[in-house]
């Protein structure tokens, strides 16, 4: 089974890493794939995001890639068996259900959901960036985001605000 775990990963968080670890258990191959969307403002470039993922996830059957355009086209191109997404709450579920149904109609490939773990269900890349942007302006020595992202990401975010 070849699973695609797509996302913005701007940046990867401990929530994403939990989904990757748990998803990799039932996949022969899990491809974490970063969406390249030049129209969307991001903190990290696609190359930086890929490097941060590679540094923070070292699992034998997990690789990192990127895609642009429609996820359904990419899924077909790489001949994936299923799409993997994490779901934190009912709002995530409603959004993901819409994506899943449309992706299935577009490429005939289903999406499997994993519930976010209890320790990570509150984490989002946007919240990490919001906290960092406000706090790092005042205090660069704080490790306020160290429970939300891996250490390499925490350092990379600090460097962005230096
Ligand atoms: O990490 P995110 O931002 O929640 O990931 C969202 C993502 C990348 C999975 C979603 O935006 C996506 O698949 N974008 C590609 C464009 C696309 O296929 N849109 C139509 C979906 S039916």
């Amino acid at each position: 089974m070849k699973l695609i775990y797509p996302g913005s990963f701007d940046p990867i968080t401990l929530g994403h890493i939990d989904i990757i670890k748990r998803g990799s258990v039932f996949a022969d191959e899990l491809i974490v794939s970063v969406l390249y969307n030049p129209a969307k403002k991001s903190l990290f470039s696609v190359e930086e995001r890929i490097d941060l993922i590679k540094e923070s996830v070292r699992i034998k059957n997990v690789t990192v890639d990127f895609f642009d355009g429609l996820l359904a086209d990419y899924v077909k191109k790489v001949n994936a068996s299923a799409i993997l997404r994490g779901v934190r709450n009912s709002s995530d579920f409603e959004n993901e259900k819409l994506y899943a149904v449309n992706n299935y109609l577009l490429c005939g490939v289903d999406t499997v959901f994993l519930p976010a773990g209890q320790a990570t269900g509150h984490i989002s890349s946007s919240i990490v960036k919001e906290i960092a942007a406000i706090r790092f302006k005042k205090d660069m020595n704080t490790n306020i985001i160290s429970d939300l992202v891996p250490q390499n990401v925490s350092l990379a975010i600090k460097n962005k605000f230096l």
Side-chain angles (χ1 to χ4, degrees), residues 6-9 16 35 40 67 69-72 85 96 98-100 102-103 106:
S8 303
F9 303 107
H16 295 129
L35 172 66
K40 199 173 157 191
F67 72 102
L70 281 180
L71 174 60
R85 291 287 285 170
E96 294 302 331
L98 262 184
Y99 274 110
N102 280 290
N103 278 321
L106 289 169

Side-chain angles (χ1 to χ4, degrees), residues 14-15 119-120 122-123 143-150 154:
L14 294 180
T120 54
H122 60 293
I123 303 176
N143 53 12
I144 190 154
I145 55 170
S146 61
D147 289 342
L148 308 177
V149 292
S154 184

Side-chain angles (χ1 to χ4, degrees), residues 14-157:
L14 294 180
H16 295 129
I17 292 174
D18 180 52
I19 297 294
I20 293 168
K21 280 185 186 154
R22 289 161 54 212
S24 69
V25 170
F26 55 83
D28 297 304
E29 186 186 355
L30 171 57
I31 307 176
V32 181
S33 202
V34 178
L35 172 66
Y36 173 63
N37 181 2
K40 199 173 157 191
K41 205 176 162 284
S42 61
L43 181 61
F44 293 100
S45 69
V46 169
E47 293 78 13
E48 288 172 326
R49 284 181 257 166
I50 289 174
D51 286 346
L52 290 172
I53 297 169
K54 284 184 177 166
E55 284 163 21
S56 39
V57 181
R58 291 176 198 275
I59 302 174
K60 229 168 81 189
N61 61 337
V62 176
T63 54
V64 187
D65 191 16
F66 71 94
F67 72 102
D68 60 6
L70 281 180
L71 174 60
D73 291 338
Y74 172 73
V75 163
K76 258 199 269 188
K77 189 183 89 184
V78 299
N79 200 20
S81 330
I83 300 162
L84 173 69
R85 291 287 285 170
V87 174
R88 290 167 297 193
N89 48 44
S90 53
S91 148
D92 273 358
F93 180 72
E94 291 304 326
N95 288 331
E96 294 302 331
K97 198 171 66 173
L98 262 184
Y99 274 110
V101 171
N102 280 290
N103 278 321
Y104 187 81
L105 289 172
L106 289 169
C107 67
V109 171
D110 239 317
T111 300
V112 291
F113 298 148
L114 276 183
Q118 249 192 337
T120 54
H122 60 293
I123 303 176
S124 93
S125 298
S126 309
I127 285 179
V128 168
K129 287 181 283 190
E130 189 175 337
I131 295 171
I134 295 169
R135 182 56 79 79
F136 289 155
K137 255 188 215 149
K138 281 197 205 153
D139 178 11
M140 266 297 167
N141 292 320
T142 177
N143 53 12
I144 190 154
I145 55 170
S146 61
D147 289 342
L148 308 177
V149 292
Q151 213 183 359
N152 62 319
V153 173
S154 184
L155 277 173
I157 295 179

